[in-house]
Amino acid sequence: MRKKITIIGAGNVGASTAQLIAKEGLADVVLYDIAEGIPQGKALDIAEACPLWGSAVSVKGTNSYSDIKDSDVVVITAGFPRKPNMSRDDLLHANADVVKAAAGAIAKLSPNAIIIVVTNPMDAMAQLAWKTTEFSCRRVMGMGGVLDAARFRTFLAWELNVSPEDIEAMLLGGHGDQMVPLPRFTTVKGIPVTELMKKKRIDALIQRTRSGGAEIVGLLKSGSAYYAPAAATFQMIRSILHDEKRLLPCAAYLNGEYGVKDLYVGVPVILGKEGVEKVVEIKLAKEEKAMFKESCVSVRKLIKKLAI
Ligand code: APR
């Protein structure tokens, strides 16, 4: 039997993720949204593309939570996107209500699902989803690091005039502004970028990566990025459903790892059929440790505001 993936929120990120899943024939897809007609219309459109992609999966749009029953993976993208001059944190309370409702429905209807949270501020929303569902922390995670790494890889590829595919980037910490880059673990086919570029240029690209989301918000004027966020989410889903055990930076629950307790924050993890199968601990340099600590303080502040 084919696997079932539910996407909660049929907006830009949700629909783009559904498109990638359907095109790849990865699983049947349910698109849920509160807005009437939107998930149905987008699902129908994607279903009508399936013959052209040679894909036989089912794609269904719905406004009823009962349709998410027995999903293997649920992606939460529902909420409100950032507007220009709005930080991810401004979204905190509005999106917390949406994520709480979604997590409650998942716990009831898909008690064995693995959840990927995309809604911002993502690290805090992942913690909220985990608390609400009371699932094992292995089965709840957030998407952020894969996207930040992809942005960094893009800018490095442009700068070095090499294929982005040959660039591997690892990073830690909260998504976006709070990310902690690890240039010494960022390589072009194994060669650390620190050997290929001056520190000043690396720092400039790190800064562009940190504000990568805001750069797109500024250009779009309304709405935020969605092609790369959907591609990043898709990579995580595939690693889970195909049990690929990819090593990817994701927001995961830390229970002592990296000296942090009871907090969701970005770290390298192994993603497989059980979800977060392992948090990979690497020895951080002094400066990296300090940045990671700062990042954790920012995420914890949001958790305090949410009182969870
Ligand atoms: N239940 C279900 N869906 C909801 C709810 C709700 N309570 N509230 C809002 N939505 C839906 C909206 O109707 C909309 O279709 O969530 C969708 C969000 O889509 P977009 O506005 O297009 O936002 P998108 O760009 O997809 O971003 C979604 O991902 O990257 C993050 O910051 C981004 O938090 C945002 C999320």
Side-chain angles (χ1 to χ4, degrees), residues 8-14 32-35 65 77-82 91 95 98 118-120 224-226:
I8 300 186
N12 284 334
V13 178
Y32 169 89
D33 201 286
I34 201 166
Y65 264 128
T77 74
F80 306 96
R82 270 201 294 173
L91 293 174
N95 283 353
V98 175
V118 178
T119 305
N120 274 315
S224 49
Y226 52 101

Side-chain angles (χ1 to χ4, degrees), residues 3 52 55 63 90 113 145 166 205 217-218 235 257 259 265 297 305:
K3 298 282 184 184
L52 303 168
S55 170
N63 302 119
D90 293 336
D166 282 345
L205 299 187
V217 169
Q235 188 179 62
E257 297 91 343
V265 71
V297 168
K305 279 187 209 161

